[in-house]
Amino acid sequence: MTTADVRGIAIPTGHLIGGAWVSSPETFETRSPMDWGTVLAEVSRGDAATADAAVAAAQDGFTGWSAFTPAERAEVLRRLADLIEEHNDDIALIETIDMGFRHESMRERLVARGAVNFRTYADIIERGGEAGEAEQWDAKNTQHTVLRMPAGAAVVITPWNAPFMLATWKLAPALASGNSVIFKPAEWSPLTAAMLAELTTQAGFPPGAFNLVQGIGAEVGAALVADDRVRRISFTGSPETARHIGKAAAENLVPFTAELGGKGPLMVFADADLDLAVKRAAEQYEDSGQVCLAGTRLLVEESIADEFRARLEAATAAHVLGDPLDDDTSIAPVVHPDHLDNIDGFVRRAEAAGDNVVRGGHKVDGSMHFELTLIEPASNDSEIVQREVFGPVLTIQTFAGEAEAIELANSTSYGLSALIFTRSRDRAERVGRGVRAGIIWVNTFLVRDLEAPFGGAGLSGIGREGGRYALEFHSDLKTLIIADGTTTDP
Ligand code: NAD
């Protein structure tokens, strides 16, 4: 097994296929956004042959893993959760160094959530949530039983932001359902995926139940999704990649889910708790806005707009852009120089189109940060309003009344998340029902019971994850009809 030494932690750099670590002759570099230039590891660059071997191994692994009872599967998932907790500090450190998100949130929240994801699905399948619906009918003295069967080998492809937490969220239901998986993490942040794969070898999965393939999306990722032995594809990333994957899935008639980008509205009504609304609005800059759920379009009721702006400026100015390992830092760096250029391109085009950059708007010299940026768009049709930037760039617009607020909220092609700030319960219900988004938070942000559905409408995705919804995706129903001996032929 080839490994890289990152801060004294040995991390496998190959693929985990059929229970064994294998390396590719070609590699790609992963570098740290904290210190761009330092190569953290040379990681195996999988190709079509790697994908072929991984899918074959997952098919073999499926036979063993799907034969485990739900209780046996739950035991393995819980062991994996325990191992994640034991290695929390190492995973959090590597996640920060490889991807750049703040160490404090990795250490205290996101890695721990990975363990919770596996435990939640262990609980669900143990209480029978994964298996047969209990419905039984009696037609012509037959007993009908509806059962669920795992689908087979599932490909799970993830993006570079919060990679460990996002991967566990998708892998837990795939594995809990009895599917084997081939996991392909993003090439900009591949290291904690390797740490997770190593823990699965200790948790007790049979060989081939969990496979990891490293490499470039357009290469090994494309080969995986084109393989006709794959029975499910679970994807999180950009709409552009989802289109490629959707075509491959259509070719093989394979169900796929796509969790995609967002352009969430953050709506502040005049009756809102303004301290809370401003605090949450300024939080949308955290992690340099590299969060699909972020409410990046601030929509503020006209009568409080001036006060809101002044308070938002004070809260934004209090942010600290810095080293993500330092707990005083509140804004993480941007993941990659190419992505800094993407963000910069959006702001330059906005300026050229006549949008008003009222704050920030530039790369920060000598670092991987982009200034916290606020833009007043010239029009609601501006690109900066209509397209996901995935950086620390918010827009601000005003509205008069609920109807206009809802119209603006629903005016993009996305529909992932929305935030509403109001003290009125009735307004919360009305506006919440009027806004088109997969998840809507009123006077809060990011809280979600893991059994609740998660996903987006429009360009934000296809399908739902979370709780039983993900288990349904990863399995097929069958109806078992048994005659009792007195049944006459139909
Ligand atoms: P991306 O689409 O570029 O890449 C995502 C993954 O797809 C990577 O692992 C990549 O290697 C792989 N990939 C690329 N081309 C492929 C191909 N042709 N076939 C198979 N796989 C391929 O996205 P990204 O830049 O890594 O992530 C950012 C995007 O992800 C943003 O749009 C963000 O909003 C979205 N996102 C959505 C959610 C959500 O839950 N809705 C969560 C996080 C991120």
Side-chain angles (χ1 to χ4, degrees):
M1 172 168 85
T2 55
T3 59
D5 182 319
V6 181
R7 304 246 179 159
I9 301 166
I11 302 169
T13 53
H15 320 286
L16 179 68
I17 296 180
W21 287 97
V22 292
S23 298
S24 293
E26 301 290 323
T27 60
F28 65 95
E29 292 173 345
T30 183
R31 296 169 180 247
S32 175
M34 289 170 38
D35 173 17
W36 193 255
T38 303
V39 176
L40 295 173
E42 297 278 354
V43 181
S44 278
R45 182 170 180 155
D47 57 14
T50 318
D52 181 62
V55 176
Q59 273 199 310
D60 289 348
F62 176 68
T63 308
W65 179 238
S66 60
F68 277 42
T69 64
E72 288 167 340
R73 262 182 261 147
E75 201 181 314
V76 178
L77 296 176
R78 288 202 183 99
R79 252 195 320 265
L80 181 56
D82 292 345
L83 285 162
I84 291 170
E85 275 168 358
E86 271 171 43
H87 293 81
N88 182 81
D89 290 355
D90 283 356
I91 298 169
L93 179 66
I94 297 301
E95 185 94 320
T96 293
I97 293 172
D98 195 22
M99 195 266 135
F101 274 9
R102 291 181 318 113
H103 189 230
E104 187 190 19
S105 68
M106 291 300 158
R107 201 179 57 220
E108 307 297 334
R109 203 163 48 91
L110 286 185
V111 172
R113 170 69 184 279
V116 174
N117 284 334
F118 284 108
R119 263 201 203 104
T120 299
Y121 277 98
D123 292 347
I124 295 176
I125 58 173
E126 217 169 37
R127 66 167 194 249
E130 141 270 19
E133 334 271 276
E135 295 144 281
Q136 297 194 351
W137 297 277
D138 196 342
K140 298 199 174 191
N141 295 332
T142 59
Q143 184 197 49
H144 290 48
T145 309
V146 180
L147 299 168
R148 243 172 220 294
M149 48 187 174
V155 167
V156 174
I157 299 183
T158 53
W160 48 260
N161 67 320
F164 187 84
M165 195 281 284
L166 270 176
T168 57
W169 153 340
K170 298 175 79 65
L171 291 164
L175 290 163
S177 71
N179 288 345
S180 55
V181 300
I182 307 124
F183 168 33
K184 208 307 268 166
E187 49 270 46
W188 282 356
S189 54
L191 295 185
T192 52
M195 297 172 88
L196 177 66
E198 204 176 17
L199 296 182
T200 66
T201 65
Q202 299 166 35
F205 289 94
F210 182 101
N211 303 278
L212 169 75
V213 166
Q214 297 280 18
I216 310 300
E219 299 173 5
V220 76
L224 284 171
V225 299
D227 193 306
D228 64 7
R229 295 166 294 176
V230 166
R231 299 316 325 144
R232 289 292 186 275
I233 302 169
S234 169
F235 171 71
T236 301
S238 64
E240 293 70 31
T241 306
R243 289 192 177 97
H244 288 292
I245 293 178
K247 283 179 193 147
E251 192 59 41
N252 293 330
L253 299 179
V254 173
F256 84 113
T257 52
E259 298 289 345
L260 308 176
K263 193 74 192 176
L266 187 155
M267 308 158 81
V268 187
F269 287 89
D271 64 0
D273 173 341
L274 215 51
D275 290 338
L276 177 68
V278 167
K279 183 171 183 290
R280 295 283 177 251
E283 277 172 11
Q284 306 307 307
Y285 286 121
E286 287 180 5
D287 299 323
S288 275
Q290 301 165 109
V291 177
C292 57
L293 294 165
T296 51
R297 289 183 295 136
L298 308 179
L299 306 177
V300 186
E301 193 149 16
E302 272 166 8
S303 57
I304 54 159
D306 288 346
E307 190 181 354
F308 179 86
R309 272 171 217 266
R311 290 214 212 171
L312 177 65
E313 174 51 33
T316 305
H319 271 309
V320 179
L321 283 63
D323 179 344
L325 287 175
D326 183 344
D327 283 358
D328 291 335
T329 294
S330 62
I331 303 290
V334 170
V335 64
H336 193 283
D338 290 355
H339 193 49
L340 264 181
D341 288 343
N342 290 340
I343 297 167
D344 192 55
F346 271 106
V347 178
R348 301 286 73 80
R349 290 194 296 279
E351 263 177 345
D355 298 327
N356 183 16
V357 180
V358 290
R359 178 184 219 289
H362 296 93
K363 296 180 193 179
V364 177
D365 279 347
S367 94
M368 288 285 292
H369 283 88
F370 196 87
E371 290 172 347
L372 305 186
T373 299
L374 186 66
I375 298 182
E376 274 173 354
S379 131
N380 192 52
D381 296 332
S382 295
E383 182 196 37
I384 203 74
V385 178
Q386 294 295 327
R387 284 192 55 202
E388 181 187 47
V389 178
F390 220 50
V393 179
L394 306 181
T395 57
I396 187 159
Q397 296 166 271
T398 58
F399 63 82
E402 279 178 26
E404 192 185 3
I406 293 171
E407 192 184 327
L408 284 171
N410 291 342
S411 68
T412 75
S413 308
Y414 297 93
L416 187 60
S417 65
L419 288 82
I420 300 168
F421 291 89
T422 174
R423 283 198 174 93
S424 158
R425 176 80 197 205
D426 288 348
R427 193 196 302 281
E429 292 277 347
R430 279 193 306 271
V431 179
R433 285 167 196 278
V435 170
R436 193 179 63 103
I439 189 158
I440 298 174
W441 284 288
V442 181
N443 299 329
T444 185
F445 185 43
L446 295 183
V447 188
R448 180 176 66 91
D449 188 299
L450 293 181
E451 305 227 8
F454 177 87
L459 265 195
S460 293
I462 297 173
R464 290 293 179 271
E465 298 189 325
R468 68 183 171 84
Y469 305 93
L471 291 174
E472 283 170 11
F473 167 72
H474 279 289
S475 57
D476 289 308
L477 286 176
K478 69 177 159 194
T479 306
L480 178 67
I481 304 171
I482 302 176
D484 71 355
T486 63
T487 311
T488 51
D489 288 337

